[in-house]
Amino acid sequence: MDWKRRSLPVHFLAASPAAQQIESMQDACCRIGLQGLDGRMAMLKSRTGSKALPYRTFRSPHVLTDALRDFQRTPAGRDFRSVIGFFPPEWSTFVMGGLLRDLLLERVLGWEAKPADIDIVIFGASSIHEIQSKLGNTSLSTNAFGGAKCRLRPNGLIFDLWRVEDHTNMARASKPHTIEQLLRHNLLDIDAILWDPKTDRLHDCGCLKAITAERIGLEGREGISEKVVAAQIAHVLAVAYKTNFPLSAEVRSFVSKASQRCAPADVERILERKVPHAAAPIEMFWKDILSGGTQECPAPTRAPIPQTTRAKRSSSSLNTRH
């Protein structure tokens, strides 16, 4: 290999016994090193259970450029601009998960999906209390994952905000923290998408693939929390309901195992708060998972979008510009 030859002086590359001996020793070392690497990779794959999803960044215009522009003209979008305007310019604020997933469902599959809240992740805040202090009297409480909740108008959309350091297991991730790290610390692949409102760049680490495949998988083991078990179970069940996508075997296994580590009443309480109109059928779906069944989550009733505004239901709908 080239790296081996570069490690030797040019005059030593003749086929002398000494050169052959060193070459042989280097080959042996290389084989040992590769065997060790293969072993470590095999252990990593056994822990994660699947190949890491690719991370991609898309410049504007991308698949959601128009949808996000339209969103910002709505009352909820104007509230969003007001919320991020509370924070100092040296902070970076990003939208992640639900809003983007719902806009993609509408763009790609022609489903009308309205987000219950907007998730905002912040780089630069020293604590969640500092975020709450910037929100002033719009701050409501902390959410199930330890972030802050706020609302600007009595019947306005709720915003969930948290620091990147407080995202699942990110405190243990190497620093400086990156957007790719953040996305890989999501529980579900369908949530692993982020939008930077300053640059209009879209960052994806599995969401586009999940929506194209119409299937929900695990993003990776980094997204599994030991602290908010009930909230994560309820989140999986709520997303399965909202999308009506089947859960992968890995996700079903996660729900079954995680359910052994929390009280059922905790999950039920979160579902009744997040999806009160559908808590009962979702809980039946959950019990089916726990019993080893194959039932799919019941689908919500959706108003169809006119055909003239519907994108083609194919991967070509996700064509974006890197």
Side-chain angles (χ1 to χ4, degrees):
M1 294 175 64
D2 288 345
W3 71 266
K4 291 189 292 185
R5 292 194 178 274
R6 284 197 297 270
S7 67
L8 293 171
V10 174
H11 68 270
F12 205 78
L13 294 177
S16 65
Q20 291 175 350
Q21 184 177 8
I22 290 179
E23 192 87 5
S24 176
M25 290 172 62
Q26 287 183 323
D27 283 336
C29 290
C30 181
R31 285 195 300 271
I32 292 171
L34 288 174
Q35 287 170 0
L37 178 61
D38 288 342
R40 288 193 295 274
M41 289 301 294
M43 289 175 64
L44 179 61
K45 286 180 180 179
S46 68
R47 286 198 298 268
T48 60
S50 60
K51 185 179 178 181
L53 293 163
Y55 167 68
R56 298 177 294 172
T57 299
F58 303 103
R59 300 192 307 271
S60 179
H62 49 68
V63 68
L64 288 182
T65 295
D66 291 341
L68 286 165
R69 189 177 294 127
D70 291 342
F71 162 73
Q72 291 179 82
R73 297 190 186 107
T74 67
R78 290 192 288 271
D79 286 352
F80 164 72
R81 280 291 171 189
S82 297
V83 167
I84 63 175
F86 292 152
F87 306 130
E90 60 269 21
W91 290 11
S92 296
T93 55
F94 302 99
V95 175
M96 188 166 71
L99 170 67
L100 306 176
R101 179 193 66 228
D102 290 349
L103 290 175
L104 280 167
L105 288 172
E106 183 174 322
R107 169 75 175 83
V108 179
L109 301 182
W111 295 352
E112 186 177 14
K114 295 182 179 179
D117 50 40
I118 295 179
D119 299 323
I120 299 175
V121 186
I122 298 171
F123 285 69
S126 61
S127 68
I128 193 64
H129 302 296
E130 185 178 18
I131 293 175
Q132 289 173 317
S133 69
K134 301 293 184 187
L135 295 172
N137 59 10
T138 68
S139 179
L140 299 174
S141 62
T142 55
N143 58 34
F145 294 95
K149 279 183 175 291
C150 81
R151 175 188 275 157
L152 269 64
R153 293 173 294 112
N155 295 317
L157 206 62
I158 289 177
F159 296 88
D160 283 316
L161 308 96
W162 66 95
R163 301 187 312 144
V164 62
E165 294 87 351
D166 297 329
H167 190 65
T168 307
N169 297 326
M170 280 295 287
R172 300 201 297 264
S174 59
K175 294 182 179 179
H177 292 144
T178 65
I179 290 174
E180 180 178 358
Q181 281 180 327
L182 176 65
L183 290 176
R184 292 197 184 282
H185 281 71
N186 275 286
L187 177 65
L188 302 177
D189 55 6
I190 202 167
D191 291 327
I193 190 164
L194 177 147
W195 173 58
D196 181 349
K198 285 185 179 178
T199 64
D200 190 29
R201 288 203 171 193
L202 198 64
H203 302 259
D204 171 70
C205 200
C207 178
L208 298 178
K209 181 179 178 181
I211 287 180
T212 302
E214 299 184 30
R215 187 176 183 83
I216 299 170
L218 280 185
E219 176 66 26
R221 299 294 172 184
E222 297 92 341
I224 297 177
S225 173
E226 297 296 327
K227 297 179 180 179
V228 288
V229 181
Q232 285 202 323
I233 294 169
H235 177 69
V236 171
L237 298 173
V239 171
Y241 170 75
K242 289 177 182 178
T243 63
N244 196 226
F245 289 171
L247 301 177
S248 70
E250 273 190 316
V251 178
R252 283 178 171 266
S253 176
F254 162 77
V255 171
S256 295
K257 292 176 182 177
S259 296
Q260 299 171 13
R261 296 185 282 115
C262 69
D266 292 341
V267 178
E268 292 165 0
R269 192 159 40 246
I270 296 172
L271 287 174
E272 286 164 7
R273 186 177 70 250
K274 290 176 71 73
V275 279
H277 57 287
I282 293 175
E283 287 170 18
M284 289 181 63
F285 170 59
W286 176 33
K287 291 175 182 177
D288 181 75
I289 293 176
L290 299 183
S291 66
T294 58
Q295 174 187 322
E296 297 300 340
C297 194
T301 302
R302 294 187 177 92
I305 295 175
Q307 185 67 35
T308 54
T309 61
R310 184 180 300 181
K312 290 182 180 179
R313 184 175 177 174
S314 69
S315 58
S316 63
S317 299
L318 295 175
N319 282 344
T320 49
R321 185 179 158 200
H322 286 265

mmCIF file of all heavy atoms in Angstrom, residues 291-316:
data_model
loop_
_atom_site.group_PDB
_atom_site.id
_atom_site.type_symbol
_atom_site.label_atom_id
_atom_site.label_comp_id
_atom_site.label_asym_id
_atom_site.label_seq_id
_atom_site.Cartn_x
_atom_site.Cartn_y
_atom_site.Cartn_z
ATOM 1 N N SER A 291 -47.512 -7.261 23.994
ATOM 2 C CA SER A 291 -47.908 -8.676 23.931
ATOM 3 C C SER A 291 -47.271 -9.407 22.751
ATOM 4 O O SER A 291 -47.551 -10.577 22.524
ATOM 5 C CB SER A 291 -49.437 -8.790 23.841
ATOM 6 O OG SER A 291 -49.900 -8.255 22.611
ATOM 7 N N GLY A 292 -46.421 -8.691 21.993
ATOM 8 C CA GLY A 292 -45.759 -9.302 20.850
ATOM 9 C C GLY A 292 -46.596 -9.333 19.598
ATOM 10 O O GLY A 292 -46.279 -10.068 18.650
ATOM 11 N N GLY A 293 -47.670 -8.520 19.549
ATOM 12 C CA GLY A 293 -48.550 -8.497 18.390
ATOM 13 C C GLY A 293 -47.958 -7.739 17.216
ATOM 14 O O GLY A 293 -46.865 -7.165 17.306
ATOM 15 N N THR A 294 -48.693 -7.718 16.129
ATOM 16 C CA THR A 294 -48.233 -7.064 14.899
ATOM 17 C C THR A 294 -49.189 -5.968 14.432
ATOM 18 O O THR A 294 -49.096 -5.491 13.311
ATOM 19 C CB THR A 294 -48.072 -8.097 13.770
ATOM 20 O OG1 THR A 294 -49.340 -8.745 13.559
ATOM 21 C CG2 THR A 294 -47.010 -9.120 14.118
ATOM 22 N N GLN A 295 -50.117 -5.599 15.297
ATOM 23 C CA GLN A 295 -51.094 -4.563 14.941
ATOM 24 C C GLN A 295 -50.397 -3.240 14.631
ATOM 25 O O GLN A 295 -49.404 -2.888 15.271
ATOM 26 C CB GLN A 295 -52.051 -4.377 16.119
ATOM 27 C CG GLN A 295 -53.042 -3.231 15.962
ATOM 28 C CD GLN A 295 -53.844 -3.013 17.246
ATOM 29 O OE1 GLN A 295 -54.215 -3.966 17.914
ATOM 30 N NE2 GLN A 295 -54.091 -1.751 17.577
ATOM 31 N N GLU A 296 -50.901 -2.519 13.629
ATOM 32 C CA GLU A 296 -50.374 -1.197 13.329
ATOM 33 C C GLU A 296 -51.179 -0.141 14.082
ATOM 34 O O GLU A 296 -52.323 -0.371 14.466
ATOM 35 C CB GLU A 296 -50.432 -0.919 11.822
ATOM 36 C CG GLU A 296 -49.578 -1.869 10.987
ATOM 37 C CD GLU A 296 -48.102 -1.840 11.336
ATOM 38 O OE1 GLU A 296 -47.654 -0.849 11.945
ATOM 39 O OE2 GLU A 296 -47.392 -2.809 11.017
ATOM 40 N N CYS A 297 -50.552 1.006 14.278
ATOM 41 C CA CYS A 297 -51.212 2.077 15.015
ATOM 42 C C CYS A 297 -52.389 2.623 14.210
ATOM 43 O O CYS A 297 -52.293 2.772 12.988
ATOM 44 C CB CYS A 297 -50.217 3.199 15.290
ATOM 45 S SG CYS A 297 -50.788 4.388 16.518
ATOM 46 N N PRO A 298 -53.523 2.912 14.852
ATOM 47 C CA PRO A 298 -54.664 3.490 14.125
ATOM 48 C C PRO A 298 -54.292 4.831 13.514
ATOM 49 O O PRO A 298 -53.483 5.579 14.060
ATOM 50 C CB PRO A 298 -55.732 3.643 15.218
ATOM 51 C CG PRO A 298 -54.976 3.673 16.500
ATOM 52 C CD PRO A 298 -53.791 2.784 16.295
ATOM 53 N N ALA A 299 -54.886 5.127 12.371
ATOM 54 C CA ALA A 299 -54.550 6.358 11.650
ATOM 55 C C ALA A 299 -55.493 7.484 12.025
ATOM 56 O O ALA A 299 -56.690 7.261 12.206
ATOM 57 C CB ALA A 299 -54.620 6.108 10.142
ATOM 58 N N PRO A 300 -54.980 8.701 12.142
ATOM 59 C CA PRO A 300 -55.862 9.853 12.377
ATOM 60 C C PRO A 300 -56.648 10.189 11.119
ATOM 61 O O PRO A 300 -56.250 9.840 10.003
ATOM 62 C CB PRO A 300 -54.877 10.970 12.717
ATOM 63 C CG PRO A 300 -53.612 10.589 12.027
ATOM 64 C CD PRO A 300 -53.572 9.081 12.051
ATOM 65 N N THR A 301 -57.752 10.868 11.290
ATOM 66 C CA THR A 301 -58.531 11.336 10.144
ATOM 67 C C THR A 301 -57.869 12.587 9.591
ATOM 68 O O THR A 301 -57.593 13.535 10.328
ATOM 69 C CB THR A 301 -59.970 11.662 10.574
ATOM 70 O OG1 THR A 301 -60.546 10.483 11.150
ATOM 71 C CG2 THR A 301 -60.790 12.109 9.383
ATOM 72 N N ARG A 302 -57.594 12.575 8.289
ATOM 73 C CA ARG A 302 -56.899 13.705 7.670
ATOM 74 C C ARG A 302 -57.745 14.323 6.565
ATOM 75 O O ARG A 302 -58.376 13.606 5.801
ATOM 76 C CB ARG A 302 -55.563 13.264 7.066
ATOM 77 C CG ARG A 302 -54.533 12.802 8.084
ATOM 78 C CD ARG A 302 -53.209 12.548 7.392
ATOM 79 N NE ARG A 302 -52.182 12.177 8.355
ATOM 80 C CZ ARG A 302 -51.901 10.933 8.682
ATOM 81 N NH1 ARG A 302 -52.560 9.942 8.129
ATOM 82 N NH2 ARG A 302 -50.957 10.670 9.561
ATOM 83 N N ALA A 303 -57.694 15.636 6.482
ATOM 84 C CA ALA A 303 -58.331 16.329 5.364
ATOM 85 C C ALA A 303 -57.394 16.244 4.167
ATOM 86 O O ALA A 303 -56.231 16.630 4.266
ATOM 87 C CB ALA A 303 -58.583 17.787 5.733
ATOM 88 N N PRO A 304 -57.862 15.715 3.033
ATOM 89 C CA PRO A 304 -56.986 15.607 1.867
ATOM 90 C C PRO A 304 -56.619 16.963 1.298
ATOM 91 O O PRO A 304 -57.405 17.910 1.349
ATOM 92 C CB PRO A 304 -57.822 14.807 0.867
ATOM 93 C CG PRO A 304 -59.233 15.076 1.261
ATOM 94 C CD PRO A 304 -59.230 15.231 2.755
ATOM 95 N N ILE A 305 -55.395 17.051 0.775
ATOM 96 C CA ILE A 305 -54.934 18.274 0.132
ATOM 97 C C ILE A 305 -55.302 18.194 -1.350
ATOM 98 O O ILE A 305 -55.157 17.139 -1.962
ATOM 99 C CB ILE A 305 -53.413 18.415 0.310
ATOM 100 C CG1 ILE A 305 -53.098 18.595 1.795
ATOM 101 C CG2 ILE A 305 -52.863 19.585 -0.489
ATOM 102 C CD1 ILE A 305 -51.627 18.621 2.091
ATOM 103 N N PRO A 306 -55.790 19.273 -1.957
ATOM 104 C CA PRO A 306 -56.154 19.229 -3.378
ATOM 105 C C PRO A 306 -55.019 18.706 -4.245
ATOM 106 O O PRO A 306 -53.849 19.011 -3.996
ATOM 107 C CB PRO A 306 -56.457 20.703 -3.699
ATOM 108 C CG PRO A 306 -56.850 21.290 -2.387
ATOM 109 C CD PRO A 306 -56.030 20.584 -1.351
ATOM 110 N N GLN A 307 -55.362 17.928 -5.257
ATOM 111 C CA GLN A 307 -54.372 17.288 -6.105
ATOM 112 C C GLN A 307 -53.452 18.317 -6.770
ATOM 113 O O GLN A 307 -52.270 18.052 -6.997
ATOM 114 C CB GLN A 307 -55.081 16.460 -7.190
ATOM 115 C CG GLN A 307 -54.139 15.649 -8.079
ATOM 116 C CD GLN A 307 -53.444 14.545 -7.316
ATOM 117 O OE1 GLN A 307 -54.031 13.959 -6.415
ATOM 118 N NE2 GLN A 307 -52.195 14.275 -7.650
ATOM 119 N N THR A 308 -53.964 19.490 -7.057
ATOM 120 C CA THR A 308 -53.154 20.499 -7.750
ATOM 121 C C THR A 308 -51.997 20.994 -6.902
ATOM 122 O O THR A 308 -51.026 21.509 -7.429
ATOM 123 C CB THR A 308 -54.022 21.707 -8.134
ATOM 124 O OG1 THR A 308 -54.692 22.181 -6.959
ATOM 125 C CG2 THR A 308 -55.033 21.316 -9.202
ATOM 126 N N THR A 309 -52.107 20.855 -5.574
ATOM 127 C CA THR A 309 -51.032 21.327 -4.709
ATOM 128 C C THR A 309 -50.213 20.186 -4.138
ATOM 129 O O THR A 309 -49.332 20.400 -3.324
ATOM 130 C CB THR A 309 -51.609 22.145 -3.534
ATOM 131 O OG1 THR A 309 -52.465 21.304 -2.762
ATOM 132 C CG2 THR A 309 -52.380 23.340 -4.042
ATOM 133 N N ARG A 310 -50.528 18.978 -4.551
ATOM 134 C CA ARG A 310 -49.848 17.822 -3.974
ATOM 135 C C ARG A 310 -48.608 17.456 -4.789
ATOM 136 O O ARG A 310 -48.642 17.426 -6.009
ATOM 137 C CB ARG A 310 -50.809 16.637 -3.947
ATOM 138 C CG ARG A 310 -50.221 15.398 -3.269
ATOM 139 C CD ARG A 310 -51.228 14.259 -3.276
ATOM 140 N NE ARG A 310 -52.434 14.630 -2.560
ATOM 141 C CZ ARG A 310 -53.459 13.816 -2.400
ATOM 142 N NH1 ARG A 310 -53.430 12.596 -2.917
ATOM 143 N NH2 ARG A 310 -54.531 14.215 -1.741
ATOM 144 N N ALA A 311 -47.519 17.200 -4.095
ATOM 145 C CA ALA A 311 -46.292 16.775 -4.784
ATOM 146 C C ALA A 311 -46.395 15.318 -5.158
ATOM 147 O O ALA A 311 -47.210 14.568 -4.612
ATOM 148 C CB ALA A 311 -45.084 16.979 -3.859
ATOM 149 N N LYS A 312 -45.606 14.893 -6.128
ATOM 150 C CA LYS A 312 -45.588 13.483 -6.509
ATOM 151 C C LYS A 312 -45.111 12.645 -5.337
ATOM 152 O O LYS A 312 -44.155 12.991 -4.662
ATOM 153 C CB LYS A 312 -44.641 13.267 -7.692
ATOM 154 C CG LYS A 312 -45.162 13.861 -8.979
ATOM 155 C CD LYS A 312 -44.199 13.560 -10.120
ATOM 156 C CE LYS A 312 -44.711 14.154 -11.413
ATOM 157 N NZ LYS A 312 -43.779 13.883 -12.522
ATOM 158 N N ARG A 313 -45.768 11.514 -5.141
ATOM 159 C CA ARG A 313 -45.427 10.653 -4.019
ATOM 160 C C ARG A 313 -44.289 9.718 -4.443
ATOM 161 O O ARG A 313 -44.486 8.566 -4.768
ATOM 162 C CB ARG A 313 -46.643 9.851 -3.590
ATOM 163 C CG ARG A 313 -46.399 9.002 -2.372
ATOM 164 C CD ARG A 313 -47.681 8.330 -1.936
ATOM 165 N NE ARG A 313 -47.442 7.462 -0.829
ATOM 166 C CZ ARG A 313 -48.378 6.837 -0.162
ATOM 167 N NH1 ARG A 313 -49.641 6.993 -0.489
ATOM 168 N NH2 ARG A 313 -48.087 6.048 0.840
ATOM 169 N N SER A 314 -43.115 10.255 -4.427
ATOM 170 C CA SER A 314 -41.947 9.473 -4.806
ATOM 171 C C SER A 314 -40.725 10.138 -4.244
ATOM 172 O O SER A 314 -40.775 11.266 -3.749
ATOM 173 C CB SER A 314 -41.820 9.373 -6.326
ATOM 174 O OG SER A 314 -41.495 10.637 -6.857
ATOM 175 N N SER A 315 -39.591 9.446 -4.310
ATOM 176 C CA SER A 315 -38.368 10.012 -3.770
ATOM 177 C C SER A 315 -37.944 11.248 -4.544
ATOM 178 O O SER A 315 -37.178 12.065 -4.044
ATOM 179 C CB SER A 315 -37.246 8.972 -3.805
ATOM 180 O OG SER A 315 -37.050 8.526 -5.131
ATOM 181 N N SER A 316 -38.425 11.416 -5.770
ATOM 182 C CA SER A 316 -38.073 12.604 -6.537
ATOM 183 C C SER A 316 -38.598 13.871 -5.877
ATOM 184 O O SER A 316 -38.093 14.963 -6.100
ATOM 185 C CB SER A 316 -38.612 12.510 -7.964
ATOM 186 O OG SER A 316 -40.021 12.454 -7.964
#
